[in-house]
C-alpha cells in the first residue's frame, strides 16, 4: 500500500516546476553577485527542479505523476523520499485536488 498522495497530470506538474524554477532564478538575480556565502546549497532546489522537469518532460503528455510522502514497498517497510524539490512539491500539493491512492 501507499500513503495518500496527489496524482497530477504530467503537463501540469511541468508547468508548476517551471514556475518554481523561474521564481527561484528571479530571486537569485535580484540578490546580485557577491551576496553572502552562496555555495551549491543555495542553488540545490532550483538545480533539482530543473532535473525533475527534464525527467517529467520524458513522460507521455497524457501521463499522471503520483506525488506521495511515503510508499510501502514491503510489509512494515516504508520508503520516505527526501524532498529536494520540497518547495515545488508543496505548491503542487496545495494547487491540486488530493485523491485517494489505492
Amino acid at each position: 500500500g501507499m500513503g495518500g498522495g496527489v496524482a497530477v497530470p504530467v503537463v501540469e506538474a511541468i508547468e508548476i516546476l517551471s514556475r518554481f524554477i523561474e521564481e527561484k532564478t528571479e530571486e537569485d538575480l535580484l540578490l546580485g553577485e557577491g551576496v553572502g556565502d552562496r555555495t551549491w546549497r543555495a542553488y540545490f532546489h532550483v538545480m533539482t527542479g530543473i532535473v525533475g522537469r527534464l525527467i517529467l518532460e520524458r513522460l507521455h503528455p497524457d501521463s499522471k505523476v503520483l506525488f506521495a510522502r511515503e510508499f510501502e514497498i514491503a510489509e512494515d517497510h516504508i520508503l520516505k523520499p527526501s524532498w529536494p524539490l520540497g518547495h515545488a512539491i508543496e505548491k503542487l500539493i496545495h494547487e491540486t485536488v488530493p485523491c485517494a491512492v489505492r
Side-chain angles (χ1 to χ4, degrees), residues 6-19 56 61 63 67 91-92 95-97:
V6 179
V8 180
V10 72
V11 173
E12 185 177 332
I14 291 168
E15 290 172 4
I16 292 170
L17 266 177
S18 295
R19 285 197 310 265
L56 292 175
S63 299
F67 292 98
K91 284 187 177 188
L92 252 172
E95 291 182 15
T96 58
V97 177

Side-chain angles (χ1 to χ4, degrees), residues 13-32:
I14 291 168
E15 290 172 4
I16 292 170
L17 266 177
S18 295
R19 285 197 310 265
F20 169 77
I21 293 164
E22 288 172 22
E23 288 172 11
K24 292 298 174 186
T25 302
E26 288 174 14
E27 287 173 14
D28 188 64
L29 288 173
L30 291 174
L31 288 175

Side-chain angles (χ1 to χ4, degrees), residues 15-88:
E15 290 172 4
I16 292 170
L17 266 177
S18 295
R19 285 197 310 265
F20 169 77
I21 293 164
E22 288 172 22
E23 288 172 11
K24 292 298 174 186
T25 302
E26 288 174 14
E27 287 173 14
D28 188 64
L29 288 173
L30 291 174
L31 288 175
E33 291 185 30
V35 175
D37 296 326
R38 289 189 281 182
T39 66
W40 65 271
R41 286 182 173 95
Y43 303 102
F44 182 72
H45 291 297
V46 75
M47 289 186 299
T48 53
I50 291 168
V51 171
R53 182 177 63 188
L54 290 170
I55 292 169
L56 292 175
E57 288 172 346
R58 298 186 60 84
L59 298 175
H60 189 280
D62 293 335
S63 299
K64 287 193 174 187
V65 180
L66 174 65
F67 292 98
R69 295 203 179 273
E70 60 184 39
F71 299 88
E72 185 176 354
I73 57 174
E75 189 173 331
D76 297 326
H77 191 136
I78 303 294
L79 174 65
K80 293 184 179 183
S82 62
W83 289 95
L85 301 175
H87 297 290

